[in-house]
Amino acid sequence: MSDLFDAVDALVASRSPLPLPPPERRRLRQAHGLTLEEVAATLDVRRATVGAWESGKTEPRPPQREPYAHLLKQLAQLYPAPAASSVADQGSTLPAAAVPVAPTAPVLPSSDAPVPATVTKEAAAPRSPAAAPRPARGSRRPGAPKAAAAGTPAPARSGPFEHGPLLVLDTDDERQVTGYGTGGLLLDVPAKSLPALVEWALAEARVGAEKLHPSGKDADPLLVLTAAVCERYGLPATLSDAEGSAGRLPEDHKAVKLLERAGWKLTRRGLGPWARIYRPVSGGRRQCVQLCIPSWNALDDRAWGHAAKLGPAELARVLGVYAHRVMTPVGSSAVTGLELMTALNPPTRASEPDQDGKRQSEHRPGSLGTQPVDPAPCEAIDGHPVLAHLPRFHIRGPEERLFEEAYDWARDLTDMECMQPYLVGVDVNLAFGAAANGAVVGLDSPPEHVTGPVFDPAVPGSWLVDLSHVDLDRVKVAKQWRELNGDLLPSPFTPTGQRPEGPAWYATPTVAYAVELGYDVAPVEAWLRPRSGRFLDGWYKRLRDAYVATMADLKVAEKLTPGEFLKAMDGHKGRDPELGIVLNAVKMTVKGGIGKLQEKARGGNWVPGQAWPALARPTWRPDIRATVISRARVNMHRKMIALAAATGRYPVAVLSDCAVYTADGPTPLDVLPYDKDGKTVPGSFRLGVSPGMVKHEGTQDVLWGVGVLEQLGAEGKVANLARYIKTGGVTARDTGE
């Protein structure tokens, strides 16, 4: 008889009333600081199941229904509903964060067709990203998603990209795939195969980002696949040695064939760490999904640090912040930096309607256009087709080739400098970005050759001119002639800092600097680009804002006093290691984007004199790269001269954007003069967070520097102390061991 009573109790419990509508269930859980994972583990269900209960897509069933109802009753007593809105109101109108994407549909394991998504969201409160707190590390189980943290962009609330720019996909022991988005978003991913995953991403996931320019295009959805998800969809967790060398899976791999049979195509880079899967545009609708596979080395540690080792929620945050502030990554940081130029300055735009009311695609003024432009012979790197007429193994000197590169210069310490105790390095923030700002560069027309031109600093191009007569012992500084020791300063005209010996090719900013120093110039010939513009200004502003915003999240704000700035910079990346990754990625995007303007041939099958794929891009522009690097080097020299003229201090080493000085104290304040009002030498180095200002690179004692100079000098190597000032370490590669 007791069994019958137990059965009756179970029957009653199976219909236990749930005290509150789905949105209130979520509010109560979040009010108590519980994660979906914690509730799911307690009730012995999947995380997505609890999310479905909170979104109203499903209702709990025995044996979990009664304990779940009990949990809600207890939480409701602790956290009463706000008086401003009744429970009935909450039940009648679901908030935007809880609106299901699509009705639930059965999953057919044998079908590759897209299946509507089951949506689960751990929504953050509607507040600014910087104001959202970071959850305590001990408040969640390993692998559980974070609440929105500082710098975390919340997903859009509506529209085609409601769920943000990207998803990091991970799977559990039950092979259920979950998508981790920005702002704590979680999505159930129903796709059972790789083609179905692509279909789902385009049809159901609502992932992507709006275009950065009215004439541009929306960003494709980015799916980041963990190693476990790779295996779930028939991909290797890691690439073999042969596949790694090729940078992709072989064309006969099962996954590649599966995509082909479903009508999908791959770009030339194939199914590799960064893969684009697409179908030809149909009816004006773009169909393209991008994959990023960290376990295949998609996230280079030089730019992304330890990002590939992060959990899915943390990785979604890192990539999401980067996507929100820069753009959805489309490859390495260098590739993304280059693509950002086009995204912000598209080559075409829609024309005015014709007589039939139709619009056509037309060239957009101020852009680089859609067709590649051959460089001038002096601007071309070795092996370029425009140099195919040169004899094999011909070595071009400065009178034949444009050598605009960053500084790598060093000298011996003077006796007086050896008496000072410290070596202090200062580093320019986003030096190439600052140099790109305001740079006038050639646009979409080929260079024009001119013989015996009159120099015009407003015209971008390459000039053959003799600057060997410029004497740095006497230069014009602050509108007054000052005596300077030229032997203690690098030449501004060569990357080695050595004085030029005769005519050489220079970019416009380098020649303009010689004129600024008070010297006459007489170019012999030039390759000029009269159609010009400030193509990189928007690119700089976007990256500048991303850098400054991320530094602000790390508690390094603008307009700090020099002392406050140095204090704020001490251990700034450790305050939020994930945002530290974003910061480094932004810096590498600047450097890599400029470097990609002169991408070299890769692969063992290339033959000098033949074109390589990068040459087909309108953004293969070594002249633009030369202009930016020339401006960066000149800016560096201008600051060093201003400091030398005011204080008598000279650098002992310069490497790109880092200069090393001897000093009586260990901080940049012992090198850079500041008065009581916080003002320093006009035109010289200034401490601060903005691009073009400087930060502390590192400090070592002078005895260390003398030892490095002696060690490498004895081996016949030039020791640039700026290369080692940050860590003080000299590697085996540096010593040749």
Side-chain angles (χ1 to χ4, degrees), residues 3 140 208 260 282 381 400 402 461 466 504 585 618:
D3 292 343
R140 61 190 181 90
E260 291 177 350
S282 176
I381 60 177
E400 293 181 274
L402 181 69
D466 189 351

PDB file of all heavy atoms in Angstrom, residues 3 140 208 260 282 381 400 402 461 466 504 585 618:
ATOM      1  N   ASP A   3       3.657   1.724  -1.423  1.00  0.00           N
ATOM      2  CA  ASP A   3       4.133   2.002  -2.774  1.00  0.00           C
ATOM      3  C   ASP A   3       3.127   2.843  -3.547  1.00  0.00           C
ATOM      4  O   ASP A   3       3.502   3.709  -4.349  1.00  0.00           O
ATOM      5  CB  ASP A   3       4.395   0.692  -3.516  1.00  0.00           C
ATOM      6  CG  ASP A   3       5.579  -0.068  -2.931  1.00  0.00           C
ATOM      7  OD1 ASP A   3       6.363   0.585  -2.197  1.00  0.00           O
ATOM      8  OD2 ASP A   3       5.712  -1.270  -3.205  1.00  0.00           O
ATOM      9  N   ARG A 140      33.019  30.099  -9.263  1.00  0.00           N
ATOM     10  CA  ARG A 140      32.468  29.242 -10.304  1.00  0.00           C
ATOM     11  C   ARG A 140      33.323  27.995 -10.438  1.00  0.00           C
ATOM     12  O   ARG A 140      34.486  27.963 -10.049  1.00  0.00           O
ATOM     13  CB  ARG A 140      32.432  29.985 -11.646  1.00  0.00           C
ATOM     14  CG  ARG A 140      33.807  30.407 -12.127  1.00  0.00           C
ATOM     15  CD  ARG A 140      33.693  31.333 -13.314  1.00  0.00           C
ATOM     16  NE  ARG A 140      35.016  31.707 -13.772  1.00  0.00           N
ATOM     17  CZ  ARG A 140      35.696  31.037 -14.681  1.00  0.00           C
ATOM     18  NH1 ARG A 140      35.175  29.966 -15.236  1.00  0.00           N
ATOM     19  NH2 ARG A 140      36.890  31.411 -15.045  1.00  0.00           N
ATOM     20  N   GLY A 208      27.939  37.823 -36.367  1.00  0.00           N
ATOM     21  CA  GLY A 208      28.602  38.666 -37.359  1.00  0.00           C
ATOM     22  C   GLY A 208      28.760  40.059 -36.800  1.00  0.00           C
ATOM     23  O   GLY A 208      28.516  40.313 -35.613  1.00  0.00           O
ATOM     24  N   GLU A 260      32.752  20.045 -49.959  1.00  0.00           N
ATOM     25  CA  GLU A 260      32.556  20.148 -51.410  1.00  0.00           C
ATOM     26  C   GLU A 260      31.244  19.509 -51.836  1.00  0.00           C
ATOM     27  O   GLU A 260      30.512  20.061 -52.675  1.00  0.00           O
ATOM     28  CB  GLU A 260      33.733  19.492 -52.137  1.00  0.00           C
ATOM     29  CG  GLU A 260      35.050  20.244 -51.992  1.00  0.00           C
ATOM     30  CD  GLU A 260      36.199  19.518 -52.668  1.00  0.00           C
ATOM     31  OE1 GLU A 260      36.004  18.341 -53.085  1.00  0.00           O
ATOM     32  OE2 GLU A 260      37.295  20.095 -52.764  1.00  0.00           O
ATOM     33  N   SER A 282      24.824  35.057 -54.174  1.00  0.00           N
ATOM     34  CA  SER A 282      23.572  34.749 -54.882  1.00  0.00           C
ATOM     35  C   SER A 282      22.520  35.764 -54.478  1.00  0.00           C
ATOM     36  O   SER A 282      22.234  35.929 -53.289  1.00  0.00           O
ATOM     37  CB  SER A 282      23.101  33.327 -54.536  1.00  0.00           C
ATOM     38  OG  SER A 282      21.860  33.048 -55.138  1.00  0.00           O
ATOM     39  N   ILE A 381      60.939  45.143 -54.120  1.00  0.00           N
ATOM     40  CA  ILE A 381      61.880  44.292 -53.396  1.00  0.00           C
ATOM     41  C   ILE A 381      62.490  43.293 -54.375  1.00  0.00           C
ATOM     42  O   ILE A 381      61.963  43.054 -55.472  1.00  0.00           O
ATOM     43  CB  ILE A 381      61.190  43.572 -52.232  1.00  0.00           C
ATOM     44  CG1 ILE A 381      60.037  42.693 -52.732  1.00  0.00           C
ATOM     45  CG2 ILE A 381      60.690  44.565 -51.213  1.00  0.00           C
ATOM     46  CD1 ILE A 381      59.358  41.895 -51.632  1.00  0.00           C
ATOM     47  N   GLU A 400      70.136  52.370 -56.109  1.00  0.00           N
ATOM     48  CA  GLU A 400      69.195  51.625 -56.940  1.00  0.00           C
ATOM     49  C   GLU A 400      67.931  51.209 -56.186  1.00  0.00           C
ATOM     50  O   GLU A 400      66.912  50.923 -56.817  1.00  0.00           O
ATOM     51  CB  GLU A 400      69.869  50.352 -57.488  1.00  0.00           C
ATOM     52  CG  GLU A 400      70.984  50.586 -58.471  1.00  0.00           C
ATOM     53  CD  GLU A 400      71.553  49.264 -58.964  1.00  0.00           C
ATOM     54  OE1 GLU A 400      72.451  48.719 -58.299  1.00  0.00           O
ATOM     55  OE2 GLU A 400      71.086  48.768 -60.001  1.00  0.00           O
ATOM     56  N   LEU A 402      65.301  51.698 -52.640  1.00  0.00           N
ATOM     57  CA  LEU A 402      64.816  52.485 -51.505  1.00  0.00           C
ATOM     58  C   LEU A 402      64.980  51.672 -50.226  1.00  0.00           C
ATOM     59  O   LEU A 402      64.348  50.631 -50.062  1.00  0.00           O
ATOM     60  CB  LEU A 402      63.347  52.837 -51.742  1.00  0.00           C
ATOM     61  CG  LEU A 402      62.631  53.678 -50.691  1.00  0.00           C
ATOM     62  CD1 LEU A 402      63.174  55.104 -50.689  1.00  0.00           C
ATOM     63  CD2 LEU A 402      61.132  53.687 -50.962  1.00  0.00           C
ATOM     64  N   GLY A 461      56.366  60.154 -52.813  1.00  0.00           N
ATOM     65  CA  GLY A 461      57.127  59.465 -53.841  1.00  0.00           C
ATOM     66  C   GLY A 461      58.493  59.070 -53.338  1.00  0.00           C
ATOM     67  O   GLY A 461      58.777  59.100 -52.134  1.00  0.00           O
ATOM     68  N   ASP A 466      71.348  63.284 -53.029  1.00  0.00           N
ATOM     69  CA  ASP A 466      72.556  63.148 -52.209  1.00  0.00           C
ATOM     70  C   ASP A 466      72.378  63.940 -50.917  1.00  0.00           C
ATOM     71  O   ASP A 466      72.261  65.167 -50.939  1.00  0.00           O
ATOM     72  CB  ASP A 466      73.769  63.669 -52.985  1.00  0.00           C
ATOM     73  CG  ASP A 466      75.082  63.343 -52.282  1.00  0.00           C
ATOM     74  OD1 ASP A 466      75.032  62.875 -51.116  1.00  0.00           O
ATOM     75  OD2 ASP A 466      76.150  63.559 -52.884  1.00  0.00           O
ATOM     76  N   ALA A 504      71.256  58.497 -52.944  1.00  0.00           N
ATOM     77  CA  ALA A 504      70.475  57.334 -52.535  1.00  0.00           C
ATOM     78  C   ALA A 504      68.995  57.675 -52.682  1.00  0.00           C
ATOM     79  O   ALA A 504      68.609  58.843 -52.766  1.00  0.00           O
ATOM     80  CB  ALA A 504      70.793  56.939 -51.090  1.00  0.00           C
ATOM     81  N   ALA A 585      47.816  42.298 -28.834  1.00  0.00           N
ATOM     82  CA  ALA A 585      47.301  42.032 -30.175  1.00  0.00           C
ATOM     83  C   ALA A 585      47.066  43.327 -30.944  1.00  0.00           C
ATOM     84  O   ALA A 585      47.319  43.395 -32.155  1.00  0.00           O
ATOM     85  CB  ALA A 585      46.005  41.221 -30.092  1.00  0.00           C
ATOM     86  N   PRO A 618      45.522  45.274 -54.157  1.00  0.00           N
ATOM     87  CA  PRO A 618      45.765  46.719 -54.220  1.00  0.00           C
ATOM     88  C   PRO A 618      46.536  47.231 -53.012  1.00  0.00           C
ATOM     89  O   PRO A 618      47.151  48.297 -53.071  1.00  0.00           O
ATOM     90  CB  PRO A 618      44.350  47.311 -54.261  1.00  0.00           C
ATOM     91  CG  PRO A 618      43.478  46.215 -54.758  1.00  0.00           C
ATOM     92  CD  PRO A 618      44.086  44.949 -54.246  1.00  0.00           C
TER      93      PRO A 618
END
